[in-house]
Amino acid sequence: MTGQRPDNMSEADRAQIKEFFIRERGYWRPWTDTMLQACPGFVEQYAHYAGYPARTGPLSPRMVELIYVALDSSSSHLFASGLQTHMRRAIEVGATQSDIFDVLHLVAIQGAASVCQAANILAECSGLHAEEALDERLQARINQLPEEHALSLLSIARMDPGYAEALLDLVEYGRPAAGGLTPSERSLVQLALHACFTAFNPEATRQIIVAALAQGVSRAELLQAIQLGAHLSVHGTALGADTFRAISQPPAPSPES
């Protein structure tokens, strides 16, 4: 890294920053080119900041890229160009088709945690009693649900057992039939989804952390999964840089009458 202020930077300095950014982040886009000319210090420091967790954390490159796939494909973000970059990279570093579609399955059920939490509030406010009877088979299915899904289903199952059954079917049978993620890897992906600022869910985050620690996932691994979500905020910077470039370009000449 150059460590210089923008007004002291030569084109060689900027080229060095570009190389560093690509090495750390694995891509180069028109917005980064705009930022390199207008604010090269940002490009340099962002590459160091965003690359730090992947460079120093304990998760494998495969797991890092699968978490990025989850974050970019999440309905709270839907960032197609980043998804293409990280899905391609995930495959390059060893992720299988089953891994990818296991992640996309978790993305699909992300919103169910908030539905269950809201249903718990509805049950409390409307006077639904926790001791009200629940079908024994449905109760058994709920009891067998892995804790890393962070789905509190009892209230919604009492109010709408059909919905609870449909959700359990999606959770149990919607993922790839063979291969895919281990339970602890699913915990890491779901922690990243629920801890990310784009859809922060403190209750689900706490439940997933407790489940993951019980699975033997280390604090350092959990922290890295949390840290990776911060990078999504740069997509706002990218939008701003692209907009600035668009409005700064001279208008096209009017056609002659």
Side-chain angles (χ1 to χ4, degrees):
M1 294 189 296
T2 67
Q4 297 183 42
R5 299 300 299 172
D7 53 356
N8 296 323
M9 283 189 183
S10 65
E11 287 307 308
D13 294 329
R14 286 183 166 83
Q16 183 181 350
I17 292 173
K18 179 177 179 178
E19 288 181 13
F20 175 67
F21 187 97
I22 295 172
R23 187 165 63 249
E24 287 290 310
R25 305 305 304 136
Y27 67 87
W28 189 254
R29 299 279 187 271
W31 77 266
T32 49
D33 210 47
T34 300
M35 292 295 296
L36 182 63
Q37 299 305 315
C39 190
F42 174 87
V43 179
E44 181 178 27
Q45 296 307 320
Y46 175 77
H48 178 73
Y49 156 76
Y52 179 87
R55 185 174 61 249
T56 62
L59 296 180
S60 68
R62 166 185 165 274
M63 199 64 232
V64 168
E65 295 302 328
L66 287 172
I67 287 174
Y68 281 141
V69 167
L71 292 170
D72 279 339
S73 60
S74 168
S75 60
S76 68
H77 199 57
L78 301 176
F79 190 65
S81 64
L83 176 59
Q84 291 176 5
T85 296
H86 291 294
M87 190 177 289
R88 185 178 296 112
R89 175 63 178 156
I91 293 170
E92 289 173 353
V93 296
T96 66
Q97 176 177 298
S98 292
D99 292 335
I100 297 292
F101 282 91
D102 216 352
V103 167
L104 297 179
H105 169 251
L106 295 176
V107 167
I109 62 175
Q110 179 183 1
S114 295
V115 170
C116 291
Q117 292 167 16
N120 288 341
I121 296 171
L122 173 60
E124 177 186 347
C125 295
S126 63
L128 180 69
H129 299 294
E131 63 271 12
E132 290 186 22
L134 188 63
D135 177 79
E136 290 185 5
R137 186 184 64 83
L138 180 53
Q139 178 74 67
R141 290 190 72 188
I142 293 172
N143 292 343
Q144 293 169 3
L145 183 68
E147 293 184 359
E148 69 263 16
H149 288 295
L151 296 175
S152 176
L153 281 167
L154 289 176
S155 293
I156 202 163
R158 288 188 172 91
M159 292 185 285
D160 191 348
Y163 179 89
E165 291 273 13
L167 177 54
L168 284 167
D169 287 345
L170 175 62
V171 171
E172 294 177 25
Y173 308 122
R175 59 185 300 248
L181 308 179
T182 66
S184 59
E185 289 174 341
R186 287 197 293 274
S187 293
L188 287 164
V189 169
Q190 294 193 98
L191 176 59
L193 287 169
H194 289 288
C196 185
F197 70 95
T198 57
F200 183 46
N201 186 326
E203 183 176 331
T205 296
R206 180 179 296 276
Q207 292 178 41
I208 294 166
I209 287 174
V210 169
L213 289 170
Q215 292 169 334
V217 182
S218 72
R219 179 169 60 188
E221 290 171 317
L222 294 170
L223 178 60
Q224 188 178 1
I226 292 169
Q227 289 170 318
L228 292 173
H231 308 164
L232 272 63
S233 60
V234 83
H235 299 154
T237 305
L239 175 63
D242 285 342
T243 301
F244 179 84
R245 184 179 68 253
I247 67 173
S248 299
Q249 292 174 347
S254 301
E256 296 181 0
S257 57

PDB file of all heavy atoms in Angstrom, residues 145-175:
ATOM      1  N   LEU A 145     -36.670 -30.164  15.135  1.00  0.00           N
ATOM      2  CA  LEU A 145     -36.090 -29.151  14.256  1.00  0.00           C
ATOM      3  C   LEU A 145     -34.730 -28.704  14.794  1.00  0.00           C
ATOM      4  O   LEU A 145     -34.623 -28.303  15.956  1.00  0.00           O
ATOM      5  CB  LEU A 145     -37.032 -27.956  14.166  1.00  0.00           C
ATOM      6  CG  LEU A 145     -36.623 -26.814  13.229  1.00  0.00           C
ATOM      7  CD1 LEU A 145     -36.690 -27.270  11.778  1.00  0.00           C
ATOM      8  CD2 LEU A 145     -37.524 -25.598  13.446  1.00  0.00           C
ATOM      9  N   PRO A 146     -33.681 -28.768  13.983  1.00  0.00           N
ATOM     10  CA  PRO A 146     -32.369 -28.329  14.445  1.00  0.00           C
ATOM     11  C   PRO A 146     -32.384 -26.884  14.936  1.00  0.00           C
ATOM     12  O   PRO A 146     -33.007 -26.012  14.319  1.00  0.00           O
ATOM     13  CB  PRO A 146     -31.479 -28.487  13.207  1.00  0.00           C
ATOM     14  CG  PRO A 146     -32.161 -29.539  12.384  1.00  0.00           C
ATOM     15  CD  PRO A 146     -33.628 -29.312  12.607  1.00  0.00           C
ATOM     16  N   GLU A 147     -31.703 -26.630  16.046  1.00  0.00           N
ATOM     17  CA  GLU A 147     -31.744 -25.309  16.673  1.00  0.00           C
ATOM     18  C   GLU A 147     -31.099 -24.231  15.826  1.00  0.00           C
ATOM     19  O   GLU A 147     -31.419 -23.049  15.981  1.00  0.00           O
ATOM     20  CB  GLU A 147     -31.082 -25.369  18.049  1.00  0.00           C
ATOM     21  CG  GLU A 147     -31.863 -26.211  19.064  1.00  0.00           C
ATOM     22  CD  GLU A 147     -31.237 -26.181  20.443  1.00  0.00           C
ATOM     23  OE1 GLU A 147     -30.185 -25.509  20.603  1.00  0.00           O
ATOM     24  OE2 GLU A 147     -31.786 -26.815  21.359  1.00  0.00           O
ATOM     25  N   GLU A 148     -30.202 -24.603  14.915  1.00  0.00           N
ATOM     26  CA  GLU A 148     -29.523 -23.569  14.130  1.00  0.00           C
ATOM     27  C   GLU A 148     -30.466 -22.841  13.181  1.00  0.00           C
ATOM     28  O   GLU A 148     -30.098 -21.809  12.629  1.00  0.00           O
ATOM     29  CB  GLU A 148     -28.340 -24.159  13.351  1.00  0.00           C
ATOM     30  CG  GLU A 148     -28.707 -25.087  12.213  1.00  0.00           C
ATOM     31  CD  GLU A 148     -28.659 -26.558  12.600  1.00  0.00           C
ATOM     32  OE1 GLU A 148     -28.643 -26.848  13.816  1.00  0.00           O
ATOM     33  OE2 GLU A 148     -28.631 -27.411  11.695  1.00  0.00           O
ATOM     34  N   HIS A 149     -31.683 -23.353  12.988  1.00  0.00           N
ATOM     35  CA  HIS A 149     -32.639 -22.645  12.137  1.00  0.00           C
ATOM     36  C   HIS A 149     -33.291 -21.463  12.852  1.00  0.00           C
ATOM     37  O   HIS A 149     -33.902 -20.612  12.198  1.00  0.00           O
ATOM     38  CB  HIS A 149     -33.710 -23.607  11.621  1.00  0.00           C
ATOM     39  CG  HIS A 149     -33.204 -24.566  10.597  1.00  0.00           C
ATOM     40  ND1 HIS A 149     -32.748 -24.179   9.359  1.00  0.00           N
ATOM     41  CD2 HIS A 149     -33.060 -25.921  10.631  1.00  0.00           C
ATOM     42  CE1 HIS A 149     -32.355 -25.239   8.670  1.00  0.00           C
ATOM     43  NE2 HIS A 149     -32.529 -26.300   9.410  1.00  0.00           N
ATOM     44  N   ALA A 150     -33.200 -21.404  14.174  1.00  0.00           N
ATOM     45  CA  ALA A 150     -33.726 -20.266  14.952  1.00  0.00           C
ATOM     46  C   ALA A 150     -35.197 -19.995  14.648  1.00  0.00           C
ATOM     47  O   ALA A 150     -35.609 -18.846  14.504  1.00  0.00           O
ATOM     48  CB  ALA A 150     -32.880 -19.008  14.705  1.00  0.00           C
ATOM     49  N   LEU A 151     -35.979 -21.062  14.537  1.00  0.00           N
ATOM     50  CA  LEU A 151     -37.405 -20.932  14.256  1.00  0.00           C
ATOM     51  C   LEU A 151     -38.207 -21.330  15.499  1.00  0.00           C
ATOM     52  O   LEU A 151     -38.196 -22.490  15.909  1.00  0.00           O
ATOM     53  CB  LEU A 151     -37.801 -21.820  13.072  1.00  0.00           C
ATOM     54  CG  LEU A 151     -37.160 -21.468  11.730  1.00  0.00           C
ATOM     55  CD1 LEU A 151     -37.539 -22.486  10.669  1.00  0.00           C
ATOM     56  CD2 LEU A 151     -37.558 -20.066  11.289  1.00  0.00           C
ATOM     57  N   SER A 152     -38.873 -20.358  16.071  1.00  0.00           N
ATOM     58  CA  SER A 152     -39.720 -20.584  17.239  1.00  0.00           C
ATOM     59  C   SER A 152     -41.147 -20.819  16.739  1.00  0.00           C
ATOM     60  O   SER A 152     -41.912 -19.881  16.512  1.00  0.00           O
ATOM     61  CB  SER A 152     -39.667 -19.363  18.169  1.00  0.00           C
ATOM     62  OG  SER A 152     -40.545 -19.527  19.244  1.00  0.00           O
ATOM     63  N   LEU A 153     -41.518 -22.093  16.583  1.00  0.00           N
ATOM     64  CA  LEU A 153     -42.720 -22.445  15.832  1.00  0.00           C
ATOM     65  C   LEU A 153     -43.953 -22.716  16.682  1.00  0.00           C
ATOM     66  O   LEU A 153     -45.043 -22.878  16.126  1.00  0.00           O
ATOM     67  CB  LEU A 153     -42.437 -23.695  14.989  1.00  0.00           C
ATOM     68  CG  LEU A 153     -41.647 -23.459  13.695  1.00  0.00           C
ATOM     69  CD1 LEU A 153     -41.171 -24.779  13.122  1.00  0.00           C
ATOM     70  CD2 LEU A 153     -42.500 -22.729  12.684  1.00  0.00           C
ATOM     71  N   LEU A 154     -43.835 -22.770  17.994  1.00  0.00           N
ATOM     72  CA  LEU A 154     -44.960 -23.223  18.806  1.00  0.00           C
ATOM     73  C   LEU A 154     -46.181 -22.318  18.673  1.00  0.00           C
ATOM     74  O   LEU A 154     -47.306 -22.795  18.511  1.00  0.00           O
ATOM     75  CB  LEU A 154     -44.537 -23.342  20.265  1.00  0.00           C
ATOM     76  CG  LEU A 154     -43.586 -24.509  20.566  1.00  0.00           C
ATOM     77  CD1 LEU A 154     -43.149 -24.475  22.034  1.00  0.00           C
ATOM     78  CD2 LEU A 154     -44.244 -25.845  20.237  1.00  0.00           C
ATOM     79  N   SER A 155     -45.985 -21.005  18.745  1.00  0.00           N
ATOM     80  CA  SER A 155     -47.133 -20.096  18.674  1.00  0.00           C
ATOM     81  C   SER A 155     -47.824 -20.179  17.330  1.00  0.00           C
ATOM     82  O   SER A 155     -49.055 -20.291  17.245  1.00  0.00           O
ATOM     83  CB  SER A 155     -46.697 -18.657  18.960  1.00  0.00           C
ATOM     84  OG  SER A 155     -46.277 -18.512  20.298  1.00  0.00           O
ATOM     85  N   ILE A 156     -47.055 -20.113  16.262  1.00  0.00           N
ATOM     86  CA  ILE A 156     -47.679 -20.128  14.940  1.00  0.00           C
ATOM     87  C   ILE A 156     -48.306 -21.485  14.650  1.00  0.00           C
ATOM     88  O   ILE A 156     -49.314 -21.587  13.950  1.00  0.00           O
ATOM     89  CB  ILE A 156     -46.668 -19.720  13.851  1.00  0.00           C
ATOM     90  CG1 ILE A 156     -47.420 -19.216  12.617  1.00  0.00           C
ATOM     91  CG2 ILE A 156     -45.712 -20.841  13.498  1.00  0.00           C
ATOM     92  CD1 ILE A 156     -46.569 -18.428  11.659  1.00  0.00           C
ATOM     93  N   ALA A 157     -47.732 -22.557  15.222  1.00  0.00           N
ATOM     94  CA  ALA A 157     -48.318 -23.882  15.028  1.00  0.00           C
ATOM     95  C   ALA A 157     -49.664 -23.995  15.721  1.00  0.00           C
ATOM     96  O   ALA A 157     -50.565 -24.689  15.235  1.00  0.00           O
ATOM     97  CB  ALA A 157     -47.363 -24.947  15.556  1.00  0.00           C
ATOM     98  N   ARG A 158     -49.837 -23.323  16.842  1.00  0.00           N
ATOM     99  CA  ARG A 158     -51.128 -23.340  17.534  1.00  0.00           C
ATOM    100  C   ARG A 158     -52.172 -22.524  16.764  1.00  0.00           C
ATOM    101  O   ARG A 158     -53.350 -22.878  16.741  1.00  0.00           O
ATOM    102  CB  ARG A 158     -50.970 -22.806  18.958  1.00  0.00           C
ATOM    103  CG  ARG A 158     -50.233 -23.762  19.892  1.00  0.00           C
ATOM    104  CD  ARG A 158     -50.270 -23.279  21.339  1.00  0.00           C
ATOM    105  NE  ARG A 158     -49.733 -24.294  22.225  1.00  0.00           N
ATOM    106  CZ  ARG A 158     -48.455 -24.378  22.582  1.00  0.00           C
ATOM    107  NH1 ARG A 158     -47.590 -23.491  22.141  1.00  0.00           N
ATOM    108  NH2 ARG A 158     -48.050 -25.350  23.381  1.00  0.00           N
ATOM    109  N   MET A 159     -51.741 -21.434  16.150  1.00  0.00           N
ATOM    110  CA  MET A 159     -52.675 -20.582  15.428  1.00  0.00           C
ATOM    111  C   MET A 159     -52.948 -21.079  14.019  1.00  0.00           C
ATOM    112  O   MET A 159     -54.059 -20.925  13.502  1.00  0.00           O
ATOM    113  CB  MET A 159     -52.138 -19.135  15.394  1.00  0.00           C
ATOM    114  CG  MET A 159     -52.126 -18.454  16.748  1.00  0.00           C
ATOM    115  SD  MET A 159     -51.622 -16.708  16.659  1.00  0.00           S
ATOM    116  CE  MET A 159     -49.847 -16.878  16.392  1.00  0.00           C
ATOM    117  N   ASP A 160     -51.939 -21.673  13.376  1.00  0.00           N
ATOM    118  CA  ASP A 160     -52.086 -22.123  11.988  1.00  0.00           C
ATOM    119  C   ASP A 160     -51.194 -23.342  11.772  1.00  0.00           C
ATOM    120  O   ASP A 160     -50.098 -23.243  11.214  1.00  0.00           O
ATOM    121  CB  ASP A 160     -51.699 -20.990  11.027  1.00  0.00           C
ATOM    122  CG  ASP A 160     -52.068 -21.292   9.584  1.00  0.00           C
ATOM    123  OD1 ASP A 160     -52.405 -22.457   9.285  1.00  0.00           O
ATOM    124  OD2 ASP A 160     -52.004 -20.368   8.752  1.00  0.00           O
ATOM    125  N   PRO A 161     -51.645 -24.508  12.217  1.00  0.00           N
ATOM    126  CA  PRO A 161     -50.811 -25.706  12.097  1.00  0.00           C
ATOM    127  C   PRO A 161     -50.441 -26.048  10.653  1.00  0.00           C
ATOM    128  O   PRO A 161     -49.356 -26.591  10.404  1.00  0.00           O
ATOM    129  CB  PRO A 161     -51.668 -26.803  12.739  1.00  0.00           C
ATOM    130  CG  PRO A 161     -53.058 -26.270  12.767  1.00  0.00           C
ATOM    131  CD  PRO A 161     -52.925 -24.791  12.885  1.00  0.00           C
ATOM    132  N   GLY A 162     -51.313 -25.728   9.705  1.00  0.00           N
ATOM    133  CA  GLY A 162     -50.999 -26.013   8.309  1.00  0.00           C
ATOM    134  C   GLY A 162     -49.781 -25.242   7.828  1.00  0.00           C
ATOM    135  O   GLY A 162     -48.944 -25.773   7.081  1.00  0.00           O
ATOM    136  N   TYR A 163     -49.691 -23.972   8.248  1.00  0.00           N
ATOM    137  CA  TYR A 163     -48.520 -23.164   7.876  1.00  0.00           C
ATOM    138  C   TYR A 163     -47.259 -23.763   8.487  1.00  0.00           C
ATOM    139  O   TYR A 163     -46.209 -23.847   7.826  1.00  0.00           O
ATOM    140  CB  TYR A 163     -48.706 -21.722   8.346  1.00  0.00           C
ATOM    141  CG  TYR A 163     -47.541 -20.816   8.038  1.00  0.00           C
ATOM    142  CD1 TYR A 163     -47.473 -20.131   6.831  1.00  0.00           C
ATOM    143  CD2 TYR A 163     -46.493 -20.656   8.947  1.00  0.00           C
ATOM    144  CE1 TYR A 163     -46.400 -19.302   6.540  1.00  0.00           C
ATOM    145  CE2 TYR A 163     -45.413 -19.841   8.660  1.00  0.00           C
ATOM    146  CZ  TYR A 163     -45.366 -19.163   7.460  1.00  0.00           C
ATOM    147  OH  TYR A 163     -44.295 -18.354   7.164  1.00  0.00           O
ATOM    148  N   ALA A 164     -47.338 -24.166   9.759  1.00  0.00           N
ATOM    149  CA  ALA A 164     -46.173 -24.750  10.422  1.00  0.00           C
ATOM    150  C   ALA A 164     -45.726 -26.018   9.713  1.00  0.00           C
ATOM    151  O   ALA A 164     -44.518 -26.257   9.536  1.00  0.00           O
ATOM    152  CB  ALA A 164     -46.496 -25.034  11.887  1.00  0.00           C
ATOM    153  N   GLU A 165     -46.669 -26.837   9.288  1.00  0.00           N
ATOM    154  CA  GLU A 165     -46.332 -28.058   8.558  1.00  0.00           C
ATOM    155  C   GLU A 165     -45.641 -27.721   7.236  1.00  0.00           C
ATOM    156  O   GLU A 165     -44.634 -28.344   6.865  1.00  0.00           O
ATOM    157  CB  GLU A 165     -47.607 -28.868   8.284  1.00  0.00           C
ATOM    158  CG  GLU A 165     -48.242 -29.485   9.520  1.00  0.00           C
ATOM    159  CD  GLU A 165     -47.671 -30.857   9.863  1.00  0.00           C
ATOM    160  OE1 GLU A 165     -46.619 -31.230   9.310  1.00  0.00           O
ATOM    161  OE2 GLU A 165     -48.293 -31.546  10.691  1.00  0.00           O
ATOM    162  N   ALA A 166     -46.178 -26.746   6.527  1.00  0.00           N
ATOM    163  CA  ALA A 166     -45.592 -26.367   5.239  1.00  0.00           C
ATOM    164  C   ALA A 166     -44.176 -25.828   5.415  1.00  0.00           C
ATOM    165  O   ALA A 166     -43.276 -26.126   4.615  1.00  0.00           O
ATOM    166  CB  ALA A 166     -46.478 -25.332   4.549  1.00  0.00           C
ATOM    167  N   LEU A 167     -43.971 -25.038   6.451  1.00  0.00           N
ATOM    168  CA  LEU A 167     -42.638 -24.500   6.718  1.00  0.00           C
ATOM    169  C   LEU A 167     -41.669 -25.607   7.102  1.00  0.00           C
ATOM    170  O   LEU A 167     -40.519 -25.639   6.625  1.00  0.00           O
ATOM    171  CB  LEU A 167     -42.710 -23.441   7.821  1.00  0.00           C
ATOM    172  CG  LEU A 167     -41.389 -22.820   8.270  1.00  0.00           C
ATOM    173  CD1 LEU A 167     -40.621 -22.244   7.084  1.00  0.00           C
ATOM    174  CD2 LEU A 167     -41.648 -21.737   9.320  1.00  0.00           C
ATOM    175  N   LEU A 168     -42.103 -26.532   7.929  1.00  0.00           N
ATOM    176  CA  LEU A 168     -41.244 -27.657   8.302  1.00  0.00           C
ATOM    177  C   LEU A 168     -40.893 -28.502   7.084  1.00  0.00           C
ATOM    178  O   LEU A 168     -39.755 -28.973   6.951  1.00  0.00           O
ATOM    179  CB  LEU A 168     -41.941 -28.511   9.366  1.00  0.00           C
ATOM    180  CG  LEU A 168     -41.952 -27.930  10.781  1.00  0.00           C
ATOM    181  CD1 LEU A 168     -42.936 -28.685  11.660  1.00  0.00           C
ATOM    182  CD2 LEU A 168     -40.563 -27.960  11.391  1.00  0.00           C
ATOM    183  N   ASP A 169     -41.848 -28.694   6.194  1.00  0.00           N
ATOM    184  CA  ASP A 169     -41.565 -29.449   4.970  1.00  0.00           C
ATOM    185  C   ASP A 169     -40.490 -28.750   4.139  1.00  0.00           C
ATOM    186  O   ASP A 169     -39.587 -29.394   3.590  1.00  0.00           O
ATOM    187  CB  ASP A 169     -42.833 -29.609   4.132  1.00  0.00           C
ATOM    188  CG  ASP A 169     -43.815 -30.611   4.728  1.00  0.00           C
ATOM    189  OD1 ASP A 169     -43.408 -31.393   5.620  1.00  0.00           O
ATOM    190  OD2 ASP A 169     -44.998 -30.604   4.316  1.00  0.00           O
ATOM    191  N   LEU A 170     -40.591 -27.421   4.032  1.00  0.00           N
ATOM    192  CA  LEU A 170     -39.584 -26.664   3.284  1.00  0.00           C
ATOM    193  C   LEU A 170     -38.216 -26.798   3.934  1.00  0.00           C
ATOM    194  O   LEU A 170     -37.202 -27.011   3.249  1.00  0.00           O
ATOM    195  CB  LEU A 170     -39.987 -25.195   3.195  1.00  0.00           C
ATOM    196  CG  LEU A 170     -38.959 -24.253   2.541  1.00  0.00           C
ATOM    197  CD1 LEU A 170     -38.693 -24.648   1.094  1.00  0.00           C
ATOM    198  CD2 LEU A 170     -39.430 -22.804   2.625  1.00  0.00           C
ATOM    199  N   VAL A 171     -38.174 -26.672   5.254  1.00  0.00           N
ATOM    200  CA  VAL A 171     -36.897 -26.770   5.964  1.00  0.00           C
ATOM    201  C   VAL A 171     -36.289 -28.157   5.809  1.00  0.00           C
ATOM    202  O   VAL A 171     -35.091 -28.311   5.538  1.00  0.00           O
ATOM    203  CB  VAL A 171     -37.096 -26.430   7.454  1.00  0.00           C
ATOM    204  CG1 VAL A 171     -35.825 -26.733   8.249  1.00  0.00           C
ATOM    205  CG2 VAL A 171     -37.479 -24.961   7.629  1.00  0.00           C
ATOM    206  N   GLU A 172     -37.112 -29.195   5.953  1.00  0.00           N
ATOM    207  CA  GLU A 172     -36.601 -30.561   5.969  1.00  0.00           C
ATOM    208  C   GLU A 172     -36.329 -31.124   4.582  1.00  0.00           C
ATOM    209  O   GLU A 172     -35.360 -31.862   4.375  1.00  0.00           O
ATOM    210  CB  GLU A 172     -37.597 -31.466   6.696  1.00  0.00           C
ATOM    211  CG  GLU A 172     -37.733 -31.150   8.181  1.00  0.00           C
ATOM    212  CD  GLU A 172     -38.779 -32.013   8.866  1.00  0.00           C
ATOM    213  OE1 GLU A 172     -39.049 -33.131   8.356  1.00  0.00           O
ATOM    214  OE2 GLU A 172     -39.332 -31.588   9.893  1.00  0.00           O
ATOM    215  N   TYR A 173     -37.181 -30.804   3.623  1.00  0.00           N
ATOM    216  CA  TYR A 173     -37.104 -31.463   2.326  1.00  0.00           C
ATOM    217  C   TYR A 173     -36.739 -30.522   1.178  1.00  0.00           C
ATOM    218  O   TYR A 173     -36.633 -30.965   0.030  1.00  0.00           O
ATOM    219  CB  TYR A 173     -38.444 -32.134   2.007  1.00  0.00           C
ATOM    220  CG  TYR A 173     -38.945 -33.031   3.116  1.00  0.00           C
ATOM    221  CD1 TYR A 173     -40.185 -32.815   3.716  1.00  0.00           C
ATOM    222  CD2 TYR A 173     -38.161 -34.080   3.599  1.00  0.00           C
ATOM    223  CE1 TYR A 173     -40.646 -33.618   4.745  1.00  0.00           C
ATOM    224  CE2 TYR A 173     -38.611 -34.895   4.629  1.00  0.00           C
ATOM    225  CZ  TYR A 173     -39.854 -34.657   5.202  1.00  0.00           C
ATOM    226  OH  TYR A 173     -40.291 -35.463   6.222  1.00  0.00           O
ATOM    227  N   GLY A 174     -36.532 -29.249   1.463  1.00  0.00           N
ATOM    228  CA  GLY A 174     -36.241 -28.290   0.404  1.00  0.00           C
ATOM    229  C   GLY A 174     -34.782 -28.186   0.045  1.00  0.00           C
ATOM    230  O   GLY A 174     -34.447 -27.580  -0.974  1.00  0.00           O
ATOM    231  N   ARG A 175     -33.909 -28.768   0.839  1.00  0.00           N
ATOM    232  CA  ARG A 175     -32.477 -28.686   0.551  1.00  0.00           C
ATOM    233  C   ARG A 175     -32.045 -29.840  -0.341  1.00  0.00           C
ATOM    234  O   ARG A 175     -32.805 -30.784  -0.547  1.00  0.00           O
ATOM    235  CB  ARG A 175     -31.674 -28.645   1.845  1.00  0.00           C
ATOM    236  CG  ARG A 175     -31.857 -29.828   2.783  1.00  0.00           C
ATOM    237  CD  ARG A 175     -31.112 -29.612   4.082  1.00  0.00           C
ATOM    238  NE  ARG A 175     -29.693 -29.449   3.861  1.00  0.00           N
ATOM    239  CZ  ARG A 175     -28.775 -30.341   4.256  1.00  0.00           C
ATOM    240  NH1 ARG A 175     -29.133 -31.445   4.889  1.00  0.00           N
ATOM    241  NH2 ARG A 175     -27.509 -30.124   4.019  1.00  0.00           N
TER     242      ARG A 175
END
